[in-house]
Amino acid sequence: MELEPGAFVKEKILRVQEYALLSAAGVGNLFRRPLYVADIFAQADLIGIGSLPIVILTGFFTGAVLALQSAYTLSQFGAKSITGELVSLSMIRELGPVLTGLMVSGRNASGMASELGSMQVTEQIDAMRALGTDPIKKLVTPRIVSTIVMLFFLTIVADTVGILGGGVVSAAMLGIGPSQYFHASIDILRYPDVLQGMVKPIFSGFIIATIGCFYGMTTKGGTQGVGRSTTQAVVASSVFIIALDFIVSRFMIGAFGR
Amino acid sequence: MTPLDAPSATTPATAARDAEPILVFQHVALGFDGKLILNDISFTMEHGETRILLGPAGCGKSLLLKLANGLLAPDSGTVRLFGKDLRSVLRDDLYSLRANTGMVFQEGALFDSLSVRENVAYRLREENRDEELIEAKVREVLQFVELEHAIDLLPSQISGGMRRRVAIARAIITQPALLLYDSPTGGLDPITSTTIIDLIVKERDVFGGTSLLVTHRLQDAFTLATHAFNATTQQMERIPNRGLAPNTKFLVLNNTRIVFDGGLEDLLRSTDPFLQAFLA
Ligand SMILES: Nc1ncnc2c1ncn2[C@@H]1O[C@H](COP(=O)(O)OP(=O)(O)OP(=O)(O)O)[C@@H](O)[C@H]1O
Ligand SMILES: [Mg+2]
């Protein structure tokens, strides 16, 4: 691969532009007929119900390990009793949204990239266009909508299960009573905390769906190309989720002071 | 809802039937990575015409077909489909224009996760037809391509020849005003090829559609030009007295350009060395 720096940069910029156009068209189609409602539900089932087990498992163990680690640190300052507050704040503001985003990205950004990528290299996307269907309307828009909606609810599930996991560990291993733990974890929450935790999955969902679809729709180079798109989609969406998480956190903390 | 068979008043084909040719290429050029593949391509297809596109492998026949329904945009020149310049139509209008064309891809391009039924029904579902009509119509076209028994199978469960016929069924189900066939007999045995050519002749003579067809088999091209579908015997028969199918014409591509545009007699009489070698 001998690419001149100029050509390389130009190609990257064109890719970003292509991505922006695809995302804009994907969202814009929400307001133009037809809206593929059946496809939205099919995707929601695939993404939402399909991801439930891994989200519950990761959520539970994240909460559990968080309780374990923070209780140890806190006990050095004689503050073991506030373990519940720490677990709940970390879960809701940060770990719930980010880990759910990463899990769903690993599962669904890759799924979208490989499904649409295979369709692309076997000319099925062209066939769809030839049959008079806009593939962005039929394939991309439903994935954006259902990923955002489902990620939102999956994050709530992860938060809940995480706090529960922390509670189980606190009661079973750390000698913190359930009532003390849950009281602490609920009382500490303020409106900005919840808002921050609820805004993040909206961004992550958008990133997962648009990046997965973008890499899928622009796949070139046969089956090997599909593999490449799949990997790149997961890598890119995971990095963007974490980067955007930082930006949203910074903005929200700036706006609400916590 | 209008019956499916009656062309609706809004189809561009009906509107443009008398005034405008179905498809016009004017000085179309297309290249990749600085290499010109198609250059100065101009031709016109009138309503009811069958155009057979011939040319050596890799000369750009598939690309030409994709230019015809706007799947690709030319580097220069204009393509007019149903009287509309494809470059100037809006995105949504382009999709409705395409809904009036059918395309059979070289590799079939069936939706591999949908059954034969759903592949064939695709267009009708897009048009939100009701369930009973879809089922009836799907069975009817599958009967036409003699594949009713495969209705519940997936594309991976049927043979290459059957897949090609499903692709034809999917393309013709709404009787679009223009059909684009990309090598419908490519890579198939002579018997299956004949079955498919038979179907195309039947399509042409029963429904009188307009079609642009790529083929590698000269034999198929000659069959198309010299045979007609007999409605009484329900079979394809040779036109008597060495007659030729009216409106069945040829387009030959070579070395980026159109080297022949006309009827079978002129093609056979041509003294062009390339054509003589190609037809030999
Ligand atoms: N996406 C593309 N990028 C670069 N070159 C391409 C692309 N698509 C087609 N080509 C080139 O254009 C030429 C024509 O391709 P096309 O598929 O139209 O050939 P064809 O006439 O249909 O051949 P065949 O008879 O084998 O089907 C080929 O040389 C091919 O390498
Ligand atoms: Mg070809």
Side-chain angles (χ1 to χ4, degrees), chain B residues 58 60-63 106 182-183 214 216:
Chain B
K61 302 182 294 294
S62 298
L63 294 177
Q106 190 160 11
D182 195 348
S183 319
V214 173
H216 292 106

Side-chain angles (χ1 to χ4, degrees), chain B residues 124-141:
Chain B
L124 301 180
R125 290 226 186 282
E126 285 294 280
E127 294 174 5
N128 287 316
R129 303 285 180 167
D130 52 66
E131 216 47 52
E132 277 159 49
L133 184 134
I134 292 179
E135 180 70 17
K137 193 70 196 167
V138 166
R139 290 203 174 268
E140 186 191 322
V141 240

